[in-house]
Amino acid sequence: MGRKLFEIEPSKLYNSLPQIDFKVTDLKELKFFRRRLAYTAYEYGALGLAANQVGSDLRSFCVLMQHHERNIDTDTYIASGGDFGAFMKQLVTIHEKGFSQYMMFYNPEIIEYSEDLDTIEEGCLSFPGVTLPITRSKSIWATWQDIYGKPYS
């Protein structure tokens, strides 16, 4: 069973969460949490879910990377110099009524974003039943860490 979603006041979505200190954070607790967060996203049919949406102050989120035939663009990832084996080990796999894989991002930070914009209709699990046209950059450059504190960009 996943976690209950919290309806969040919009002002709380703008608060920055503190960085996770991997030297003092219990790895077993992080592994348990990532599984529960991914399962919650799966239960609700979400493409992604932030930790604060389930009441956690861990600076992290998960993103659906694969579901059935829907795959990440592995060729682009490998061409960018990524270690695909290490990348795949980061995915949380859920085998229930299909096959879904979620990736966790810890201490994410957007470093750069494109000025090219795209607007699409989006919903948010914290605001059930509400969809709005959201304008976002078409691409970003971000840094994050894996569950062991290893940095990526």
Side-chain angles (χ1 to χ4, degrees):
M1 178 64 126
R3 296 184 68 142
K4 183 179 187 303
L5 292 174
F6 289 88
E7 290 192 29
I8 299 173
E9 290 198 25
S11 62
K12 292 191 178 203
L13 296 175
Y14 296 104
N15 294 338
S16 182
L17 296 172
Q19 292 275 328
I20 297 169
D21 183 347
F22 289 95
K23 292 177 185 162
V24 298
T25 303
D26 181 14
L27 182 60
K28 280 177 127 176
E29 183 182 313
L30 276 179
K31 285 183 176 182
F32 180 73
F33 178 76
R34 78 175 179 173
R35 184 101 185 128
R36 286 187 64 192
L37 188 67
Y39 191 77
T40 302
Y42 175 81
E43 280 184 315
Y44 285 91
L47 297 178
L49 191 60
N52 64 345
Q53 290 180 279
V54 295
S56 172
D57 63 356
L58 289 173
R59 188 174 181 167
S60 61
F61 65 93
C62 70
V63 173
L64 178 66
M65 301 302 278
Q66 177 174 253
H67 179 73
H68 299 289
E69 271 76 56
R70 193 168 129 176
N71 293 308
I72 57 173
D73 186 352
T74 55
D75 293 334
T76 300
Y77 184 80
I78 293 168
S80 70
D83 177 349
F84 192 66
F87 176 73
M88 289 304 287
K89 288 177 186 172
Q90 295 179 52
L91 300 182
V92 178
T93 303
I94 297 170
H95 295 279
E96 185 177 301
K97 297 180 184 171
F99 175 79
S100 299
Q101 288 185 312
Y102 290 84
M103 183 169 168
M104 288 292 298
F105 295 81
Y106 300 93
N107 295 330
E109 184 178 344
I110 296 174
I111 303 301
E112 218 174 280
Y113 53 90
S114 77
E115 292 182 18
D116 293 333
L117 304 175
D118 202 4
T119 301
I120 61 171
E121 197 79 14
E122 289 188 24
C124 177
L125 294 176
S126 295
F127 303 99
V130 177
T131 59
L132 298 168
I134 303 294
T135 301
R136 298 187 188 275
S137 293
K138 285 189 176 185
S139 64
I140 64 166
W141 178 350
T143 60
W144 71 93
Q145 292 173 284
D146 68 12
I147 195 165
Y148 303 103
K150 182 178 176 183
Y152 291 86
S153 65

